[in-house]
Amino acid sequence: SDVCSSDLIYTIQTKNGVMTLYQIAGFLVRRIVTELEVGNTYETGETVGMIKFGSRVDILIPNASRFVVNPSLSIGTSVTPETVFGQYK
């Protein structure tokens, strides 16, 4: 079932360590929708949630010194499940 919240925190186990993803809803609407469930396994590229009417997502990348960010991304760039944020070198 859908979960609605103003902020959500995901911890994702990857082969490079634990990635933390923060979805932070905007001041006015404050609604995030997700269908993820704790303990389930998800594939790369799956949608983790949707912020209704904007705001931001912060991502803490494990071993960030080895991670090369996609140069076409910048603050405010819209992303889709197909967006590649970067890769480990």
Side-chain angles (χ1 to χ4, degrees):
S1 65
D2 289 352
V3 173
C4 297
S5 178
S6 59
D7 298 325
L8 286 175
I9 301 171
Y10 305 90
T11 54
I12 303 163
Q13 181 62 50
T14 74
K15 66 181 180 182
N16 293 294
V18 176
M19 179 181 297
T20 306
L21 186 134
Y22 299 90
Q23 285 185 304
I24 304 164
F27 178 73
L28 297 175
V29 177
R30 305 203 56 77
R31 185 165 179 227
I32 298 170
V33 178
T34 185
E35 294 184 18
L36 298 184
E37 294 182 17
V38 173
N40 285 358
T41 301
Y42 298 93
E43 298 296 323
T44 299
E46 285 191 64
T47 301
V48 296
M50 177 176 41
I51 299 175
K52 300 284 188 167
F53 301 105
S55 284
R56 74 181 211 227
V57 175
D58 294 346
I59 303 172
L60 276 67
I61 298 171
N63 299 308
S65 63
R66 296 187 358 224
F67 191 82
V68 179
V69 176
N70 179 343
S72 68
L73 296 178
S74 62
I75 294 173
T77 302
S78 293
V79 298
T80 68
E82 293 79 25
T83 301
V84 175
F85 287 91
Q87 61 186 0
Y88 283 93
K89 55 181 176 179

